[in-house]
Amino acid sequence: RFKMNNKILQESADDSILQEDLDRISESDIPLEELKGKTVLVTGATGLIGSLLVKALQCCNRRKETGIKILALVRNQEKAERLFGDLLKREDLKLVIGDITMPVEVDDKIDHIIHCASITTSKVMISRPVDVIRTSLNGTENLLELAKEKQVRSMVYVSSMEMYGALNLQNDQMVTEEMTGYLNPLALRSNYPESKRMCENMCVAYGTQYEVPVKIARLAQTFGAGVLPGENRVFAQFARSAMKGSDIVLHTEGKSEGNYCYTADAVRALLTILVKGENMQAYNVVNEKSHITIADMAKFVAEKIAEKPIEVVFDIPKENKFGYASDTKMHLAATRLMALGWQPETDLEESYRRLIASMKNRNV
């Protein structure tokens, strides 16, 4: 066990809700023996999913003595030091400072890679579309090259449900991994989903030509305990409105169907795909029951989650200055992921309650 000042050092001493999640991940049925004594590189380690993966692996080390060495690839060392704090004093975590758009140089042996780094802010997709494309394509190529060089045992590329585009679905048809829909390449906002598609194909190309053992995880929108300061995606906006007792303001009609997954469930899913997934295969990471339109979710938060009565207000600008994706109608299926033994544990209501409790703990 890792100790400082004679006290056991937990991974989130300032957030009991998040620590519960991390403990639960470490006690789950993921075959952690596959990672025992191995080195795992996590990119995007100061992002939501990347940081939780790092902390979850550290928790596994502390509780299960798995001896996993974690390399956290970050661009901003100061931000990483603020985020991880005393956890950086543990011998199992090492920062690797670098920009994934440049070739990645790591002296250490690497057994596994989870590539989470990506630009996911909608406003940036409108204001800096070239940066979004460059980060996706150059970054993923550089990580695949590193995986080839290090002859890793397994790699997971974190993609997005946005890659599906607009699908022509029949009635209540669910979206499985072999489906693809229409994306308009002349629409500026397409830079994100189009680049995700290309990165997935790049993974297949490296898997075929160089035998890089890479898997693809298509994440639904993921939220819960551990959200970072400055988080401004729709779930965080709704949660803050519920906490403050202020009306929820929507800048679209809210017709898009959202697919969600709780943070701890998503971390378990990525680790499951890493050790049990099939090479060059894609997996939807979603709680099938956490499926709801944006407008209905706003109403749900206002009526069931908010501590005092609030309303949903529509303020729709003429232009898409916020960079929101076009309305989508799809219900993701998690059948392929569940066939690996994974099951979601946290429903939408509990996700929000744990999210808000965690935000209060850390004044986020």
Side-chain angles (χ1 to χ4, degrees):
R1 290 178 181 267
F2 298 86
K3 295 185 179 182
M4 291 182 62
N5 299 325
N6 296 320
K7 292 183 179 179
I8 294 175
L9 178 64
Q10 291 191 309
E11 295 70 31
S12 189
D14 60 343
D15 187 348
S16 59
I17 301 296
L18 176 56
Q19 189 60 54
E20 286 176 8
D21 286 350
L22 297 173
D23 290 343
R24 225 167 61 200
I25 292 167
S26 72
E27 295 297 333
S28 67
D29 57 0
I30 302 165
L32 292 171
E33 63 273 8
E34 295 286 334
L35 301 178
K36 196 164 188 178
K38 301 297 192 298
T39 299
V40 180
L41 173 71
V42 178
T43 74
T46 56
L48 174 58
I49 298 300
S51 64
L52 294 180
L53 276 164
V54 169
K55 291 180 178 182
L57 291 172
Q58 285 193 295
C59 189
C60 291
N61 282 343
R62 178 175 60 83
R63 292 174 63 91
K64 292 293 190 69
E65 299 183 352
T66 43
I68 300 165
K69 183 177 181 181
I70 307 142
L71 303 177
L73 179 58
V74 302
R75 190 172 50 179
N76 187 324
Q77 181 172 349
E78 186 178 326
K79 182 179 179 181
E81 289 173 349
R82 285 198 307 270
L83 180 60
F84 295 113
D86 286 341
L87 295 178
L88 289 169
K89 297 177 181 178
R90 286 171 37 168
E91 295 178 357
D92 58 349
L93 176 59
K94 175 183 176 182
L95 293 183
V96 178
I97 313 301
D99 186 335
I100 62 167
T101 63
M102 306 295 290
V104 179
E105 296 182 2
V106 181
D107 293 332
D108 304 74
K109 181 179 185 296
I110 300 173
D111 300 293
H112 299 84
I113 295 174
I114 306 178
H115 178 32
C116 305
S118 182
I119 294 175
T120 58
T121 306
S122 290
K123 277 190 175 181
V124 177
M125 296 171 195
I126 299 298
S127 62
R128 290 165 32 212
V130 175
D131 293 352
V132 174
I133 294 169
R134 183 179 290 127
T135 299
S136 287
L137 300 187
N138 294 358
T140 302
E141 180 182 12
N142 288 331
L143 265 298
L144 287 164
E145 280 290 330
L146 183 66
K148 181 183 74 168
E149 173 196 335
K150 297 292 186 177
Q151 296 183 312
V152 299
R153 299 165 67 94
S154 182
M155 172 177 173
V156 172
Y157 168 65
V158 178
S159 187
S160 166
M161 66 179 179
E162 280 203 39
M163 63 76 57
Y164 284 109
L167 292 150
N168 184 20
L169 301 173
Q170 305 298 317
N171 300 320
D172 295 327
Q173 185 179 13
M174 294 184 73
V175 178
T176 56
E177 289 83 354
E178 66 275 6
M179 297 179 177
T180 49
Y182 172 71
L183 283 172
N184 178 6
L186 300 183
L188 179 61
R189 179 58 175 72
S190 292
N191 58 74
Y192 180 72
E194 287 279 26
S195 62
K196 286 294 186 183
R197 282 188 176 182
M198 188 66 243
C199 287
E200 289 196 15
N201 188 253
M202 199 186 303
C203 288
V204 173
Y206 268 80
T208 302
Q209 187 168 340
Y210 300 117
E211 298 184 346
V212 173
V214 59
K215 296 87 175 167
I216 297 160
R218 293 175 181 162
L219 257 63
Q221 190 155 126
T222 303
F223 71 90
V227 296
L228 303 174
E231 176 62 74
N232 201 40
R233 279 175 283 184
V234 66
F235 59 80
Q237 294 177 31
F238 289 3
R240 289 194 185 98
S241 293
M243 291 161 65
K244 294 175 183 176
S246 57
D247 291 343
I248 294 175
V249 180
L250 292 183
H251 299 298
T252 70
E253 293 180 4
K255 293 181 178 178
S256 277
E257 296 179 4
N259 296 265
Y260 302 95
C261 190
Y262 186 66
T263 41
D265 289 341
V267 169
R268 285 192 301 105
L270 292 176
L271 293 174
T272 299
I273 295 167
L274 183 70
V275 299
K276 297 180 72 175
E278 182 181 340
N279 293 338
M280 295 182 286
Q281 187 63 271
Y283 297 87
N284 289 336
V285 178
V286 65
N287 183 337
E288 292 181 0
K289 295 180 180 178
S290 295
H291 171 259
I292 191 171
T293 67
I294 301 298
D296 284 343
M297 186 167 77
K299 183 179 178 183
F300 166 80
V301 172
E303 294 178 355
K304 293 202 70 173
I305 304 298
E307 296 174 1
K308 60 177 79 171
I310 62 174
E311 295 183 353
V312 179
V313 177
F314 291 87
D315 178 18
I316 304 173
K318 291 182 179 180
E319 296 182 1
N320 183 15
K321 64 181 180 180
F322 296 101
Y324 294 127
S326 301
D327 287 344
T328 55
K329 177 180 172 57
M330 65 175 172
H331 188 176
L332 294 180
T335 311
R336 183 176 290 171
L337 176 57
M338 290 191 289
L340 299 181
W342 175 88
Q343 290 286 338
E345 296 179 351
T346 310
D347 64 17
L348 194 60
E349 180 172 350
E350 185 65 12
S351 295
Y352 261 104
R353 297 200 183 282
R354 295 185 72 79
L355 166 68
I356 289 172
S358 172
M359 292 172 75
K360 286 180 176 178
N361 281 345
R362 294 174 296 119
N363 296 314
V364 172

